[in-house]
Amino acid sequence: MRNYLSAECFKTFHRKYFYAALGVCLVLEAVLLWGYWLTLNWGNPTVNFSYAATTVSFLLSVGLYATLITGDVVFSDQYKNDTLKNEVSYGLPRARIYLGKLGVSILVALIAAVVMLAFYVVGCWFLFPHDAQDAQGWSLMGYCLAGALPLWLAAQAVVIACYFLVGSATVAAFLAVGILGVIPSVLQAFGLLFHPVFEMLRQFTPSVMLDSLRNMAFDGGYLGLCWLVGLLWFAAATALGLFFFQRKEIR
């Protein structure tokens, strides 16, 4: 497994795709910082470090859908290029292939998240004034990130399962978006039309829990629930993905 992980990491981090995607995200962050800086210099005194830093709590869903990119960076059209077929034909265990790519996709996602967060927070620290609210800004950001991490990992597991089980990368991406983004809306509609139990189920989907994090700030019980739900989604997606991949005919 270690050799396989090393090979996957070498392949992934030597592709321009990862660096190009990360570069685009950093540019967008820079534009956001520039917008806040202009607002401050145009006379809005409410823009300070705490104000800009807590914007992170409103962007948590971006991390959920960014797993589509980190998953694609690692999986990289394996069916289209016949590389997955070659790996299986070579005799590599399917569990090693699946878990190896899942592990590397998580590593890529974590590295990207750390770089993007560091870039944004450092920018906020040097560009905006500080006051007594700094501590509250740090606390809210830390709470939201702590709750978002397991939900992001769950989304990554869902995305990797879709890429492994669907031959087309485009269809797999749409399927993942459907599971992560459309199903909660469907459950909400069913809750209104049929039975409140659907609305209850909706509350335990990663996207809804991410949106609720900032409103549940500093509630340790909700933070624990995020970890429990995130790990359950992660385990279920990984188990189902691995189960069906073991039985999938690769052409």
Side-chain angles (χ1 to χ4, degrees):
M1 174 62 87
R2 187 174 69 177
N3 291 337
Y4 186 79
L5 289 173
S6 298
E8 285 294 308
C9 286
F10 180 86
K11 179 187 72 175
T12 298
F13 291 111
H14 280 75
R15 296 183 67 205
K16 294 180 180 179
Y17 185 178
F18 170 68
Y19 301 101
L22 182 58
V24 169
C25 292
L26 294 178
V27 168
L28 292 175
E29 285 188 342
V31 171
L32 179 61
L33 288 170
W34 180 63
Y36 278 145
W37 182 81
L38 284 179
T39 303
L40 173 65
N41 283 271
W42 285 344
N44 187 346
T46 63
V47 178
N48 54 22
F49 171 78
S50 176
Y51 180 94
T54 53
T55 300
V56 171
S57 66
F58 292 91
L59 300 175
L60 297 176
S61 293
V62 173
L64 191 78
Y65 298 106
T67 56
L68 293 167
I69 298 175
T70 53
D72 190 43
V73 166
V74 175
F75 199 79
S76 62
D77 280 325
Q78 297 269 300
Y79 287 111
K80 181 179 179 180
N81 299 323
D82 286 333
T83 49
L84 188 62
K85 180 180 180 180
N86 293 338
E87 290 183 20
V88 173
S89 301
Y90 187 74
L92 292 174
R94 292 197 180 199
R96 183 187 302 174
I97 296 171
Y98 189 97
L99 296 177
K101 293 188 190 302
L102 174 61
V104 174
S105 69
I106 291 173
L107 176 63
V108 170
L110 291 176
I111 291 174
V114 169
V115 171
M116 291 172 60
L117 182 63
F119 177 83
Y120 184 76
V121 172
V122 170
C124 289
W125 183 265
F126 285 106
L127 288 175
F128 306 114
H130 300 268
D131 56 25
Q133 294 181 331
D134 281 10
Q136 183 179 358
W138 282 112
S139 298
L140 179 60
M141 185 167 53
Y143 176 87
C144 289
L145 291 172
L149 178 59
L151 301 172
W152 288 341
L153 294 177
Q156 191 68 75
V158 170
V159 167
I160 288 295
C162 291
Y163 278 131
F164 264 98
L165 300 181
V166 179
S168 167
T170 302
V171 175
F174 276 107
L175 177 60
V177 170
I179 294 172
L180 296 172
V182 177
I183 285 181
S185 298
V186 173
L187 290 174
Q188 184 179 36
F190 282 7
L192 293 172
L193 295 173
F194 302 117
H195 197 280
V197 69
F198 293 106
E199 176 60 28
M200 183 187 71
L201 292 174
R202 175 178 171 269
Q203 298 304 315
F204 297 103
T205 56
S207 61
V208 173
M209 296 195 76
L210 278 173
D211 289 339
S212 301
L213 260 172
R214 61 180 177 271
N215 298 322
M216 301 297 294
F218 314 121
D219 184 340
Y222 191 76
L223 189 63
L225 184 63
C226 287
W227 276 91
L228 177 61
V229 171
L231 292 177
L232 286 175
W233 269 81
F234 181 89
T238 303
L240 288 172
L242 187 55
F243 176 82
F244 287 109
F245 177 60
Q246 295 276 24
R247 290 153 179 78
K248 181 179 176 65
E249 180 182 356
I250 302 176
R251 298 177 180 177

